[in-house]
Structures are given as C-alpha cells and as structure tokens.
C-alpha cells in the first residue's frame, strides 16, 4: 500500500485572477471569487494529470515496504525533511536530476514515511495550460446536458492536454 498526503501548500498560484480576466476578456469584478477558485481547480487538475507539483507543497509519502530504492511522487523535490521506518530515522541518498529517487542506506525497509517539500514548476507553458483550462471552466461553470452522448463539455480541452503532455510524468 502506498499513500500520499499534502500537509500544506507553500507556493503561490502561477496564474493570477488578473491574468485570467485579461486572457478570458472578463471585465467584471462580480465573479472574482469564482475565478480564484477556478484557477486553483485548474492548477490541481493539471498537477494530477502530470503527477508533478506546479505549486510547491509539503508532502508525506507512506510505503508498506521497499527494496530500498523508490521514487517520490509529485516532484521535483526541493528537500527531504525526514525518512522513518517503523519510527526509526533512516539515512538515504538522492538519485536523479530532480531528487525524486531515494536510495535507503540500509536497503529494505517496512512502514516507511517520507516527509518532503516539492519545488513546484513555473513557466509560460504551464501558465498557458492553467489559463486555458480555467477559462474553459469559467465559460462552462454550469452543468448542462444537451442530450448528446458525445457532448464532451466535461473533458479537458485538447489544447490544454497537448501543452501539458510535454511535462507528463507517470508515477506508478
């Protein structure tokens, strides 16, 4: 069994409400609270699609057991606060470009808990993906069913998915 938990979000959104309003040509302040929520919702959807953190977070990761080498989900990893197995602190080495692979010095371990901080990612392509998805959510903020089974209003826009695919990392 593997479990992951967000302990806290330490970073800021990469898209502001003003950015989205400019992008989507929204000129009212009446929907500012909705816009802020849709930016967060869009960023979370993008993070889950990528299995990467766009906004930095403090996370806990639990494994029942490991052979001694394992990957942390939702990198890139900024730092590791602690690694414990059955309540005992473990020493480790980080492997990989984004510090996402952990090699325990003692090898095999059971009931491993890792507390770590992700670095987040911020660039214009990710901002564009969040803007596109948030504007789609804003434009389609009320559920509807036209009776057409092929109605894809609940799917991520294809162009957003295409932008995100260059960052896609699968975590199994």
């Amino acid at each position: 069994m593997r479990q992951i938990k967000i302990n806290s979000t330490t970073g800021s959104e990469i898209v502001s409400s003003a950015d989205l309003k400019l992008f989507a040509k929204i000129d009212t302040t009446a929907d500012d609270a909705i816009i802020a929520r849709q930016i967060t919702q869009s960023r979370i959807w993008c993070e889950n699609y990528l299995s990467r953190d766009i906004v930095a977070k403090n996370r806990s990761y639990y494994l029942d057991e490991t052979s001694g080498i394992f990957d942390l989900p939702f990198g890139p990893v900024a730092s590791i606060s602690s690694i414990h197995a059955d309540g005992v602190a473990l020493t480790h080495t980080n492997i990989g470009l984004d510090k996402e692979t952990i090699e325990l010095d003692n090898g095999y371990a059971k009931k491993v808990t890792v507390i770590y901080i992700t670095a987040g990612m911020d660039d214009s392509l990710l901002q564009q993906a969040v803007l596109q998805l948030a504007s789609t959510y804003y434009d389609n903020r009320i559920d509807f069913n036209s009776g057409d089974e092929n109605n894809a209003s609940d799917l991520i826009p294809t162009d957003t998915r295409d932008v995100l695919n260059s960052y896609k990392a699968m975590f199994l």
Side-chain angles (χ1 to χ4, degrees):
M1 170 177 64
R2 296 175 185 212
Q3 298 174 334
I4 188 158
K5 174 183 166 186
I6 299 171
N7 301 321
S8 63
T9 300
T10 57
S12 302
E13 294 294 346
I14 63 171
V15 170
S16 69
S17 292
D19 293 336
L20 180 59
K21 289 172 83 169
L22 181 64
F23 179 82
K25 298 181 180 169
I26 301 167
D27 58 4
T28 179
T29 58
D31 292 341
D32 283 358
I34 293 169
I35 289 168
R37 282 192 307 270
Q38 288 172 332
I39 289 169
T40 301
Q41 175 185 0
S42 299
R43 188 251 314 148
I44 290 169
W45 195 99
C46 291
E47 287 176 333
N48 289 334
Y49 181 79
L50 294 172
S51 296
R52 317 275 296 158
D53 277 346
I54 294 171
V55 171
K57 294 178 186 62
N58 178 304
R59 291 182 171 270
S60 294
Y61 182 56
Y62 173 83
L63 300 99
D64 272 347
E65 63 182 312
T66 176
S67 65
I69 297 178
F70 59 92
D71 291 329
L72 294 173
F74 289 92
V77 175
S79 64
I80 296 175
S81 303
S82 67
I83 300 178
H84 287 83
D86 254 342
V88 176
L90 300 177
T91 56
H92 70 283
T93 304
N94 288 59
I95 303 170
L97 298 175
D98 288 328
K99 302 180 187 176
E100 295 171 9
T101 302
I102 305 298
E103 182 175 18
L104 299 177
D105 293 345
N106 295 347
Y108 177 83
K110 286 187 173 187
K111 298 180 182 175
V112 176
T113 302
V114 181
I115 309 295
Y116 65 104
I117 298 172
T118 60
M121 303 183 320
D122 182 4
D123 67 33
S124 59
L125 282 176
L126 291 172
Q127 290 168 346
Q128 182 67 25
V130 171
L131 285 169
Q132 288 175 350
L133 187 56
S135 66
T136 299
Y137 284 161
Y138 181 80
D139 289 342
N140 297 291
R141 60 191 174 276
I142 298 173
D143 289 337
F144 68 93
N145 184 351
S146 66
D148 180 4
E149 290 182 16
N150 296 320
N151 182 0
S153 64
D154 61 340
L155 300 177
I156 185 169
T158 304
D159 50 352
T160 302
R161 187 176 29 250
D162 291 343
V163 168
L164 293 173
N165 277 337
S166 64
Y167 294 94
K168 187 103 168 104
M170 293 300 297
F171 182 79
L172 302 174

